[in-house]
Amino acid sequence: LAEELFSYHIDDKAKRLAEMMDGKLLLVTNAEGLSAQNVIQRYKSLADIERGFKVLKSEIEIGPVYHRLPERIRAHASICFMAL
């Protein structure tokens, strides 16, 4: 593009912040009153639950099931949770 059609500005403060966060996992939550350690523990337990569902569905060879109605979504999640 011609110079008069294209220009940019680098926000040095935003760039420094992005460089500080590069390669790191940043957990953001809207749950008030949780310590940083509690947020990390809850995040790790979520990963354990997801891993468990993956094992559960692969062991009994259940394919993805798509539900549209909220009550069916809740029922499916409840059955999977009880099975796990």
Side-chain angles (χ1 to χ4, degrees):
L1 293 175
E3 190 173 316
E4 62 273 0
L5 297 176
F6 179 78
S7 67
Y8 68 93
H9 169 74
I10 296 175
D11 183 338
D12 291 324
K13 184 178 176 183
K15 183 180 177 204
R16 281 193 305 277
L17 182 60
E19 288 170 347
M20 282 179 21
M21 298 298 167
D22 189 29
K24 295 179 177 68
L25 174 65
L26 181 64
L27 297 177
V28 179
T29 180
N30 62 354
E32 297 179 16
L34 292 179
S35 68
Q37 186 63 30
N38 202 321
V39 170
I40 292 168
Q41 287 173 337
R42 287 178 180 228
Y43 178 77
K44 287 181 178 181
S45 68
L46 175 64
D48 290 339
I49 291 168
E50 289 175 349
R51 212 173 7 264
F53 278 122
K54 182 177 179 182
V55 168
L56 173 69
K57 290 195 172 196
S58 66
E59 289 293 318
I60 56 178
E61 297 180 7
I62 296 176
V65 177
Y66 302 101
H67 297 290
R68 184 176 46 83
L69 301 175
E71 62 270 12
R72 290 187 180 178
I73 294 169
R74 282 191 291 277
H76 181 85
S78 297
I79 290 168
C80 288
F81 178 73
M82 288 183 282
L84 179 62

